[in-house]
Amino acid sequence: MLNNTERFSAFADTLQANGIAFDQTYYYHGNYREKSGYQAAKLMILSNDYPEVLVCANDNMAIGAMKAFEEHRISVPQHISITGFDDSDAAALAGLTTIKIPRYESGFLAAKELLELIKGNVNRDTVKIGASIIWRQSVRS
């Protein structure tokens, strides 16, 4: 899925631009569901080794990770800061810091591209839209 690749590339590029090494030890594949975030966090807890900051590819996985850490009395954000992506309603309820993309704009652009494909017009240009961070309680200040 291109969206997965783009999210990971942006994450890796940001680390590199800020002189932060990417530690493969803490890289876990998920399936965008809460359970996969929960399971990844449980693996970190069982290994007794987790990062200071956990960046999840979406809010569902981040919320799952938060639940696992909190079950083991590992305080979010005192012991680990956690972020998500999408700015879902659940993220707001959970106090999750997240990346917000403009839903209307992304939906509009997707529909526009689909209509062009239906007409037989193939556009290979990458379209980028802005994103913003929504700061909540899951990250230390």
Side-chain angles (χ1 to χ4, degrees), residues 73-87:
R73 300 197 185 341
I74 298 169
S75 177
V76 176
Q78 285 75 24
H79 298 116
I80 183 170
S81 292
I82 300 177
T83 68
F85 194 103
D86 291 325
D87 192 30

Side-chain angles (χ1 to χ4, degrees), residues 98-110:
T98 187
I99 303 299
K100 179 178 184 170
I101 56 170
R103 290 182 184 158
Y104 177 84
E105 183 181 0
S106 61
F108 174 82
L109 291 170

Side-chain angles (χ1 to χ4, degrees), residues 6 9 17 23-24 29-30 37 48 57 62 74 76 81 84 87 90 92-94 102 108-110 113 120 129-130:
E6 290 294 322
S9 293
D23 187 348
Q24 193 75 25
H29 288 275
N48 203 28
I74 298 169
V76 176
S81 292
D87 192 30
L93 290 172
F108 174 82
L109 291 170
E113 183 66 21
I129 57 175

Side-chain angles (χ1 to χ4, degrees), residues 126-138:
T126 300
V127 177
K128 296 190 178 198
I129 57 175
S132 58
I133 189 161
I134 306 298
W135 294 100
R136 295 195 181 103
Q137 297 80 28
S138 67

